[in-house]
Structure formats: structure tokens, C-alpha cells
């Protein structure tokens, strides 16, 4: 039996299922498929997949309903696949518990890259959340000493900048919405003040990026949030 993770694909579009099936099975992934919310719930509880690829527009309901159901009992990584390209739809899905979001159409390499990030987080049970030292490119975060260095030189971050960077580092590779960042760094009462994030993120980038105008480490997801790119 293959040691590759078991993936649950929830998609009612036949051609897309065929495309994803070919891409995953060619690389040894194990795959189970559902075309409805009801079917997906049954497969999720009976097979306990290690990753879910979830379409939002399903015949018997919205994929967000399934996502909410899953989050009641499992933290299995969920990557949303949807033709809904609006920023609000992405934010809604991510805030509802999705780990990532791909807008149709997408390429095989992009899908596989997002899957690798999600599966790596699952396999390590979030080591970044417990690790004392986090390293991304030439940036190192020593969470015991609360020291951040770049290329061996210590950076002088404000408390807000430090919290922003460690939050992104704990979820490296995953897009964090403005709302999520605001709630974690500033508190729930600031959840709509997205300009706070933009201003402080710009200052943080000046300190950790080689070229702040063309950031390579902290990547903007337009209208949605930010992602710390994994090395």
C-alpha cells in the first residue's frame, strides 16, 4: 500500500475531477472522491483523509457548510478550489477555517505546491508553533531571547512588528487574512482596522526584506492578507 497521504477531493465538475485525479495518482497520491456535501461528510468520517480539496459550489449545498462541519471535529488541512475569485469569497473561506484557496483554473504545479505546504504542516503538527528558533531565508527568530536577526545582524523590531513576524512564522506558507492578523496581534475589537496591518507590515518589510518594494519573504495576497513564504 502506498505511504502517500490520503486526499479527499470534493468536486462535482467531472472534467476537473479527472484532471486532479490524473495529477495526483501520477505522483502516487491516494485519492477518494465525493461530488456532494453529504457524500463528503460520510467519506471524511469513515476514511479520515489527511488533506481535503474542497469545491464551494456543490449540488446539495455550499462547501462552506462542509468546512464548518469538518472544523467541529478535525483540523485536517482544507484547500478550497473555487471559481469564485472575489476577494470576499477567499476571506470568508479562510476565516471559516480553510488553510488555503485556489481560484479555478489553476495549474498542476501550483496545486501540488499548495498541497505540499498543507501536508507538511499536518505531518509536523505545527512545529513552528513550538520551536524556539525559527529560520526563514536569512532571517532567524529566537523566541526565547526575543531576538530577530538578518544575515547575522540583530534587527530592532517594535513589539507589534515582532508579534506580526512570529505570527506569520508560526503559520509559514499559509495565507493569513487581515482579520485573523488583527485579532491575533491587536485583539478582537480591531478586526476591521485593516490599515493597521498594512502600515506595520510595510515597516516590518523595511527591516527583513532585501528589497522592501519587491518582497520575497512576506508575500501579499491582494485584498486577502499575507503569507510568509517558506524556504
Amino acid at each position: 500500500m502506498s505511504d502517500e497521504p490520503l486526499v479527499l477531493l470534493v468536486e462535482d465538475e467531472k472534467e476537473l475531477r479527472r484532471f486532479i485525479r490524473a495529477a495526483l495518482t501520477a505522483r502516487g497520491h491516494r485519492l477518494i472522491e465525493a461530488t456532494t456535501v453529504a457524500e463528503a461528510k460520510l467519506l471524511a468520517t469513515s476514511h479520515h483523509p489527511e488533506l481535503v480539496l474542497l469545491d464551494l459550489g456543490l449540488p446539495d449545498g455550499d462547501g462552506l457548510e462542509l468546512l464548518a462541519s469538518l472544523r467541529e471535529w478535525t483540523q485536517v488541512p482544507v484547500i478550497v478550489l473555487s471559481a469564485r475569485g472575489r476577494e470576499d469569497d477567499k476571506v470568508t473561506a479562510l476565516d471559516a477555517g480553510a488553510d488555503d484557496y485556489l481560484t479555478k483554473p489553476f495549474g498542476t504545479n501550483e496545486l501540488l505546491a499548495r498541497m505540499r505546504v498543507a501536508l507538511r504542516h499536518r505531518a509536523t503538527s505545527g512545529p513552528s508553533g513550538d520551536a524556539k528558533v525559527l529560520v526563514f531565508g536569512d532571517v532567524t527568530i529566537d523566541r526565547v531571547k526575543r531576538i530577530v536577526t538578518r544575515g547575522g545582524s540583530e534587527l530592532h523590531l517594535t513589539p507589534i512588528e515582532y508579534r506580526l513576524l512570529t505570527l506569520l512564522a508560526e503559520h509559514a506558507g499559509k495565507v493569513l487574512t487581515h482579520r485573523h492578523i488583527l485579532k491575533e496581534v491587536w485583539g478582537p475589537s480591531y478586526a476591521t482596522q485593516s490599515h493597521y496591518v498594512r502600515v506595520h507590515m510595510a515597516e516590518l518589510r523595511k527591516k527583513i526584506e532585501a528589497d522592501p518594494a519587491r518582497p520575497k519573504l512576506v508575500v501579499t495576497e491582494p485584498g486577502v492578507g499575507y503569507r510568509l513564504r517558506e524556504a
Side-chain angles (χ1 to χ4, degrees):
M1 178 180 290
S2 171
D3 291 330
E4 289 296 320
L6 178 64
V7 178
L8 169 58
L9 171 61
V10 188
E11 171 63 63
D12 66 324
E13 187 180 332
K14 186 176 180 180
E15 291 302 318
L16 185 55
R17 282 205 315 277
R18 182 182 294 128
F19 163 74
I20 294 175
R21 184 188 309 129
L24 300 192
T25 56
R27 291 160 178 80
H29 287 288
R30 296 180 293 140
L31 185 68
I32 51 177
E33 302 175 29
T35 59
T36 65
V37 171
E39 187 179 6
K41 286 181 179 179
L42 288 174
L43 288 176
T45 54
S46 62
H47 288 72
H48 296 279
E50 288 131 306
L51 176 71
V52 177
L53 301 177
L54 174 62
D55 180 30
L56 293 184
L58 297 166
D60 61 337
D62 196 296
L64 291 177
E65 174 193 339
L66 175 60
L67 178 58
S69 176
L70 289 172
R71 287 293 173 255
E72 290 177 357
W73 62 276
T74 179
Q75 290 303 308
V76 61
V78 176
I79 300 176
V80 167
L81 313 175
S82 179
R84 304 176 192 175
R86 294 193 309 117
E87 293 166 358
D88 287 350
D89 292 322
K90 296 179 181 181
V91 171
T92 298
L94 292 165
D95 281 339
D99 293 82
D100 212 337
Y101 193 113
L102 275 174
T103 302
K104 301 174 183 177
F106 49 81
T108 300
N109 290 338
E110 185 177 15
L111 172 63
L112 293 172
R114 300 292 181 91
M115 288 176 58
R116 282 194 296 271
V117 170
L119 288 167
R120 185 157 58 245
H121 288 171
R122 179 194 180 281
T124 53
S125 299
S128 297
D130 301 323
K132 294 179 175 62
V133 177
L134 307 175
V135 180
F136 301 92
D138 62 350
V139 175
T140 299
I141 308 169
D142 185 326
R143 300 205 299 177
V144 175
K145 298 178 181 179
R146 294 180 67 86
I147 292 175
V148 178
T149 60
R150 176 169 170 258
S153 300
E154 183 175 348
L155 300 177
H156 298 286
L157 304 185
T158 67
I160 289 291
E161 291 165 358
Y162 179 81
R163 290 206 295 273
L164 277 174
L165 182 59
T166 53
L167 177 65
L168 288 165
E170 288 166 1
H171 300 278
K174 177 179 178 179
V175 57
L176 300 183
T177 66
H178 294 115
R179 180 181 295 274
H180 179 85
I181 295 171
L182 284 160
K183 289 174 68 176
E184 292 295 321
V185 175
W186 281 272
S189 61
Y190 291 85
T192 61
Q193 308 298 320
S194 59
H195 63 283
Y196 280 30
V197 181
R198 288 193 292 272
V199 170
H200 287 277
M201 199 67 76
E203 294 303 310
L204 176 61
R205 278 172 163 162
K206 291 177 183 177
K207 299 177 181 181
I208 67 171
E209 298 280 4
D211 183 357
R214 297 176 177 81
K216 301 294 185 183
L217 194 59
V218 178
V219 182
T220 300
E221 297 287 339
V224 179
Y226 297 88
R227 184 198 306 266
L228 181 67
R229 183 174 289 159
E230 291 188 309

